[in-house]
Amino acid sequence: MTDLDLPPTQNRTLVTRCHPDDVLDPEKIGGRAGDSARRSVTVNMREHAIGWLYHRTLITGIQFAAAEKLRADYERAGLVRMSMMQWTKTADKTSRRAGASPHEPTLAQIDAKRRFYAAIDAAGPGLADICWRLICANETLTGAEKALGWPARSGRIVLGIALDRLADHYGLRR
């Protein structure tokens, strides 16, 4: 029986962790390091490959935070395909309540798209592929190695270098 065969409640491993932003910059939330005012998040460890690597201490917390920032920008930019239909009725252009077209990007999406592409450029030409495959496309490390034609067990080293470059780009390493 695989994870996909299990009922949805058994297809998860939920763990409560400290929010990555609070670990890196505790003053951001008005507290001090070690303060009990830190936020916590519940994480499904089976959710994505980067989380799997982080929870097995194969990447550092700073590398994980850099990956999460890239993934957040990717999702905010709307680069993920819409997988569900929108059943709400949109107003026509003659209506007084008509807003922006649902196909026009918002300023937040445009800004996130710029941040995403700047981070991918900072990773570099050979390293952007592994970042996109593991962080954005949610491929496994082994699957990404095969797709890129790399030798087995080489992806983790290359991913570590790419995540270090992302951390430098986001200013996470001091």
Side-chain angles (χ1 to χ4, degrees):
M1 182 185 281
T2 66
D3 286 345
L4 298 175
D5 298 321
L6 296 174
T9 55
Q10 294 177 355
N11 195 11
R12 310 180 235 172
T13 304
L14 301 178
V15 177
T16 302
R17 298 275 187 231
C18 184
H19 193 280
D21 288 344
D22 296 347
V23 172
L24 298 173
D25 191 10
E27 285 80 27
K28 183 186 268 186
I29 61 164
R32 296 184 314 268
D35 196 3
S36 62
R38 287 186 174 175
R39 298 174 291 177
S40 64
V41 292
T42 301
V43 178
N44 182 358
M45 290 176 43
R46 296 182 188 181
E47 183 176 289
H48 55 89
I50 294 296
W52 186 90
L53 291 168
Y54 173 67
H55 291 292
R56 283 155 184 79
T57 64
L58 299 174
I59 61 173
T60 66
I62 291 173
Q63 291 172 330
F64 178 73
E68 287 296 303
K69 283 185 173 284
L70 182 71
R71 189 168 67 129
D73 283 338
Y74 178 76
E75 291 174 357
R76 282 187 196 120
L79 298 172
V80 181
R81 290 186 191 150
M82 294 295 289
S83 62
M84 296 182 63
M85 288 185 67
Q86 195 171 22
W87 292 98
T88 59
K89 182 180 177 187
T90 57
D92 59 352
K93 294 190 182 227
T94 59
S95 172
R96 295 178 69 193
R97 295 181 147 216
S101 168
H103 302 292
E104 293 178 18
T106 64
L107 292 177
Q109 285 177 317
I110 293 169
D111 192 37
K113 191 173 185 179
R114 274 193 214 124
R115 286 192 311 266
F116 173 77
Y117 283 117
I120 287 293
D121 288 343
L127 303 175
D129 294 338
I130 192 79
C131 286
W132 185 85
R133 287 181 179 278
L134 264 76
I135 299 168
C136 304
N138 197 21
E139 287 186 18
T140 63
L141 192 57
T142 307
E145 289 170 345
K146 287 179 184 176
L148 293 169
W150 293 352
R153 297 182 200 88
S154 63
R156 196 179 73 151
I157 295 167
V158 176
L159 178 66
I161 295 167
L163 290 175
D164 286 341
R165 285 194 183 175
L166 283 177
D168 290 338
H169 170 73
Y170 286 121
L172 299 175
R173 296 191 327 169
R174 293 172 182 153

